[in-house]
Structures are given as C-alpha cells and as structure tokens.
Amino acid sequence: MNDTRKRRPTLQDIADRVGVTKMTVSRYLRDPDAVAEGTRERIAEAVEALGYIPNRAPDILSNATSRAIGILIPSLSNQVFSAVVRGIESVTRPAGYQTLLAHYGYDPAREEEQVASLLSYHVDGLILSDSQHTERTRKMIATAGIPVVEIMDFPEEPIDMVVGMDHRAAARAMTEAMLARGRTRSVYLGARLDVRTRLRMEGYYDAMQAAGLEGRHLLTGDASTFTLGGDLLDQALARWPDLDGLFCTNDDMAVGVILRAQARGIPVPQQIAVAGVNALNIGRAISPQLASIVTPREAIGCEAATLLLARLAGQTVTRRIHDIGFTLFEGESLGA
C-alpha cells in the first residue's frame, strides 16, 4: 500500500524556526506559562505557521499507519448521522480499519479542536460532515497530507473528495410537489441554521418564485425538536392565518407540527399540508404518514468510506464530487 502522507512538522522544526531547544518547545506545549513571554509568543507563531499537530501516539508508531479513520459528525443524537456512520463502518470494518468518532455541535471552532485531536492520533483519513471549516482546520489537514471526504452536501471549495446530495434541488422538488397539490401559501420552517437548512430554504424559494408566488419563512437558531416544530406552527398561524402548507427543514420538526396541529383540531392535510426531510421511521409510523425527502444517508457513508480506502490503497480517484441523489416520499400529509 502506498503511503502518501506528507512529512509532518516536528518539535525540532519548531525549535529550529524559533532558535530554542526542542526541550523548550516541549515544555511550552505542556505548559505555555512555563516559558518566557517573548519565547512563548514566538513558539506559538511557529506552531501556527507550520501547522504542527501534537502526536499522542507512542513514538514507536509515529511513522506507521494507524489503520483508523476519523469521523466528524455534528451531533451524536441525530438519527441522520447514525445512519451515515453505519454506512461507513459497513466498509471500514471488513477492511480492517477502526473508526474514531468525534462530534462538534455544528460549531466550526469545535470542529477545529476535534480535527486536531483526531490528527494527533495519526488517523489515516478523515470523513467530515460539514463543508465550512476554519482556516486552521484546512491548514492542519493540508499538513497531515491524508485523504479527506466531505459528506452530505457540496462545498464551494472542496478539500479533497466529496460525497453528498443536492439539498437545494431536493427542497425545490418537494415544494413543487406541494404546489402541484394547490398549496400556494406555504411557509418554510428552519432550525439551527446550518448550511443544509439554508440550502433547503433556497430550494423552497426557487420553486415559489418560479411559480410567481411569494415565499414565507420562520427561522430559529434552536436545535430542532418535536416541541419546536409545534411552537413554530403556532407562530406561523399567528402570523399567516391563511397558510395552507408547512415545509420543515427536517422530520423532527414536521412530526411536531402534525402532533400540535392534531392537538389544536387542525386537520392535516385537509387544512395544512406538511412535509419534512430525511424520511425517518417516525414519519412513517404516525398518521397521516409524513411526506419527506429521502436522504440516502447510509449510502453516502458507504461511498465515502469506499473512496477513502481506495485512496489509501494507492488507487486514483478521478472524480472528486459524487452526487448520491435523492427521492421524494409523497406521504399522506402532503394531500391528494
């Protein structure tokens, strides 16, 4: 197997750049206050400039492959990403690779910390669930010189390989399905305001504007829950009493909308059509069954791992961006 890693900066590289001993650099990394202020600042600048990554692995293994893949996901409680990890491990486990999982709460700064942590264990590759990264995250990854796959959507500036789906096109298709049923006064409900939520809102507006209609939306930075979906239904009705459809950024919120509507005696879909995203099992279990965008989460994980292991085996991956596609489940909540 070909090892395409770049040489990583060492303590000696930092020491040479600053003009101090390696022991001084090591002391700084353990306790910055143990080093004089001027030296401390110069070492910090050198660490940043070189993209140095501390190595926690035993020295004897510092130049060996780890047979481990680092996976960054935004949430441990989100069912969407449990399916992604399942897809990844369906490929990595038979190939003899371990997975190291870290989450970052949709926070780029926290993602940066977690990437540094995973790289310190000399993982052989990374799978990232986001497309927006800090400059330092990109620098550390470039320094590591390992293959990377960004998943779920299509970043404007890919780091390496990409596996995902077009969330904007999917949302446009679902909005068009609502319009085909005469739902011309729909509202988009968004939460957390991550990249995929914004892409879906753009798709919603694309379809509404193409139909010559005015789009409307309610957004919150809160995490999506059933309760939040119900609360946003109340707010939307207070603001637009004539609304006839709600397109929610995910199924959690959409199920919450249906439950709250039923509690208020509002018939779904007769009065309000409801649609979600991700086609979670709970959407199929409730009545009426929830219309939703089927996101191929497990397939995305499987393809990402397949590409990563191909690169680690020295194979050339000619196509950088892989579109897995989507389908619509036009459930009962959409109406006839």
Side-chain angles (χ1 to χ4, degrees):
M1 180 172 64
N2 294 331
D3 188 353
T4 58
R5 295 171 181 270
K6 296 180 181 178
R7 177 182 173 275
R8 301 188 183 194
T10 64
L11 291 180
Q12 190 62 57
D13 293 329
I14 297 172
D16 291 343
R17 186 182 182 99
V18 177
V20 297
T21 66
K22 186 167 70 170
M23 184 177 297
T24 300
V25 177
S26 179
R27 187 163 62 248
Y28 163 84
L29 292 172
R30 289 195 304 271
D31 180 9
D33 291 335
V35 178
E37 182 177 355
T39 303
R40 183 167 67 237
E41 292 175 355
R42 296 201 309 276
I43 293 176
E45 290 173 358
V47 168
E48 179 68 19
L50 293 173
Y52 175 77
I53 303 163
N55 178 24
R56 298 193 186 101
D59 290 342
I60 193 171
L61 297 176
S62 61
N63 293 316
T65 59
S66 64
R67 302 290 293 182
I69 303 298
I71 305 171
L72 269 292
I73 60 174
S75 170
L76 290 176
S77 61
N78 193 323
Q79 295 180 54
V80 170
F81 295 100
S82 64
V84 170
V85 173
R86 188 163 59 248
I88 292 170
E89 292 188 337
S90 72
V91 174
T92 56
R93 188 183 301 110
Y97 279 83
Q98 300 297 316
T99 53
L100 299 181
L101 191 65
H103 73 98
Y104 55 93
Y106 296 90
D107 181 357
R110 179 59 177 159
E111 184 201 46
E112 178 184 300
E113 296 173 1
Q114 297 287 49
V115 166
S117 178
L118 288 172
L119 291 177
S120 74
Y121 288 103
H122 275 207
V123 292
D124 294 332
L126 283 174
I127 296 177
L128 308 178
S129 300
D130 224 316
S131 57
Q132 295 183 336
H133 317 285
T134 68
E135 182 178 347
R136 183 166 181 263
T137 294
R138 288 180 173 273
K139 181 180 290 186
M140 288 189 295
I141 290 173
T143 298
I146 59 176
V148 174
V149 184
E150 293 166 286
I151 60 172
M152 305 309 288
D153 54 76
F154 303 135
E156 294 181 2
E157 298 180 6
I159 293 175
D160 189 0
M161 299 174 286
V162 176
V163 178
M165 57 167 279
D166 190 334
H167 293 267
R168 184 169 181 167
R172 183 169 60 247
M174 181 58 83
T175 307
E176 289 170 349
M178 297 179 78
L179 289 169
R181 290 162 171 78
R183 308 298 176 146
T184 59
R185 300 184 303 279
S186 65
V187 178
Y188 177 82
L189 303 183
R192 201 181 287 280
L193 310 186
D194 61 308
V195 172
R196 288 176 280 278
T197 289
R198 294 186 181 279
L199 287 171
R200 291 164 191 161
M201 185 171 73
E202 290 171 5
Y204 160 79
Y205 272 100
D206 287 345
M208 295 296 283
Q209 290 169 4
L213 298 170
E214 179 184 2
R216 302 179 289 192
H217 66 265
L218 278 179
L219 302 177
T220 174
D222 296 340
S224 58
T225 62
F226 299 148
T227 302
L228 179 63
D231 292 345
L232 289 181
L233 166 65
D234 293 341
Q235 294 176 36
L237 284 171
R239 186 169 177 181
W240 301 290
D242 67 336
L243 71 84
D244 60 8
L246 289 172
F247 180 17
C248 304
T249 192
N250 60 38
D251 284 2
D252 287 350
M253 289 176 55
V255 169
V257 164
I258 292 176
L259 295 176
R260 183 67 60 84
Q262 291 172 339
R264 291 184 54 167
I266 299 171
V268 176
Q270 291 83 355
Q271 181 176 333
I272 300 176
V274 181
V277 179
N278 290 321
L280 300 181
N281 181 258
I282 189 171
R284 305 291 179 95
I286 65 171
S287 180
Q289 283 193 323
L290 176 64
S292 189
I293 297 169
V294 182
T295 54
R297 305 177 295 279
E298 194 162 339
I300 285 174
C302 180
E303 180 69 6
T306 298
L307 292 175
L308 206 60
L309 296 194
R311 283 278 295 277
L312 289 172
Q315 300 173 23
T316 300
V317 177
T318 57
R319 184 160 57 96
R320 293 183 68 191
I321 299 178
H322 297 247
D323 187 348
I324 299 299
F326 64 89
T327 56
L328 298 185
F329 174 66
E330 299 188 20
E332 300 163 351
S333 68
L334 210 58

